[in-house]
Amino acid sequence: MTVIAVLGNGRVGGSLALALTRAGHEVTVADRSPGSAADAARTARIVINATPGAGSLERLSALREELEGKILVDVSNATVDGPDGLPAELLHPGSSLAEHLQEALPDTRVVKTLNTMLYTVMTAPATLTEPPTAFLSGQDPDAKQVVRGLLADLGWQQEWLMDLGGIETARATEAAILFVPHVIRSSGFTPFAVSIAR
């Protein structure tokens, strides 16, 4: 059992919180009320960033003290949305939200994962017709190992996980969000994920 704080109580944060609670973890969900995120982060060992990516850097930078020494699992994508509300371009071209978070939070171990799929797949990867891939990017091998354990609790088999290396590799996975609007317009709002076939 791990004490986990989920920042963000929308569809992504809510589904992750529910699945991790069912897996036996002690989970607190922070909403937008004043002090909620700080209180949740302060008592957690692992913090999951499920806030809208466009505002994540500002929100989490304000929690630098509370996040010190913690593992921050970043599942967000920072994008500029188009008129239809779907991602149109990256907010940090040539870089990534994860890199900016790691720079702003030097005493926090940032791990990027689960950002290359529709949110429903995050907690139910086995429901797809083909095995999906969850990528991990981060500087700290021990932190990534802990996150592998969390992913296993969400139903991810170890052979479906791929460690890409340092936090700079999140540039590649965050760029995958640009597939999303085209896939949705082509196939509808049905579960999908990026998968590496071998």
Side-chain angles (χ1 to χ4, degrees), residues 140-162:
D140 190 297
D142 293 335
K144 285 190 279 191
Q145 194 59 37
V146 171
V147 174
R148 280 178 172 269
L150 277 189
L151 294 176
D153 290 341
L154 294 174
W156 289 86
Q157 297 183 27
Q158 290 302 303
E159 60 267 27
W160 299 349
L161 307 181
M162 182 175 290

Side-chain angles (χ1 to χ4, degrees), residues 8-80:
N9 62 347
R11 292 179 298 187
V12 174
S15 62
L16 286 170
L18 180 60
L20 290 168
T21 299
R22 286 176 173 166
H25 298 288
E26 181 180 329
V27 181
T28 301
V29 179
D31 56 26
R32 289 178 174 266
S33 61
S36 177
D39 289 343
R42 190 177 293 114
T43 57
R45 179 189 176 206
I46 298 171
V47 178
I48 298 175
N49 175 37
T51 65
S56 290
L57 183 58
E58 181 181 356
R59 289 191 189 101
L60 273 70
S61 294
L63 301 174
R64 182 170 175 170
E65 183 179 329
E66 290 82 3
L67 291 170
E68 185 175 344
K70 308 294 174 70
I71 295 173
L72 176 64
V73 183
D74 178 32
V75 304
S76 294
N77 288 302
T79 61
V80 177

Side-chain angles (χ1 to χ4, degrees), residues 66-138:
E66 290 82 3
L67 291 170
E68 185 175 344
K70 308 294 174 70
I71 295 173
L72 176 64
V73 183
D74 178 32
V75 304
S76 294
N77 288 302
T79 61
V80 177
D81 292 342
D84 58 0
L86 295 174
E89 58 184 284
L90 300 175
L91 191 60
H92 304 290
S95 185
S96 64
L97 172 60
E99 288 174 272
H100 284 283
L101 287 171
Q102 186 63 84
E103 183 179 2
L105 304 165
D107 298 318
T108 302
R109 296 176 289 167
V110 179
V111 179
K112 187 82 181 192
T113 193
L114 294 181
N115 63 308
T116 56
M117 60 201 69
L118 203 61
Y119 76 95
T120 55
V121 181
M122 295 178 178
T123 57
T127 58
L128 297 182
T129 56
E130 300 291 336
T133 303
F135 304 96
L136 296 98
S137 300

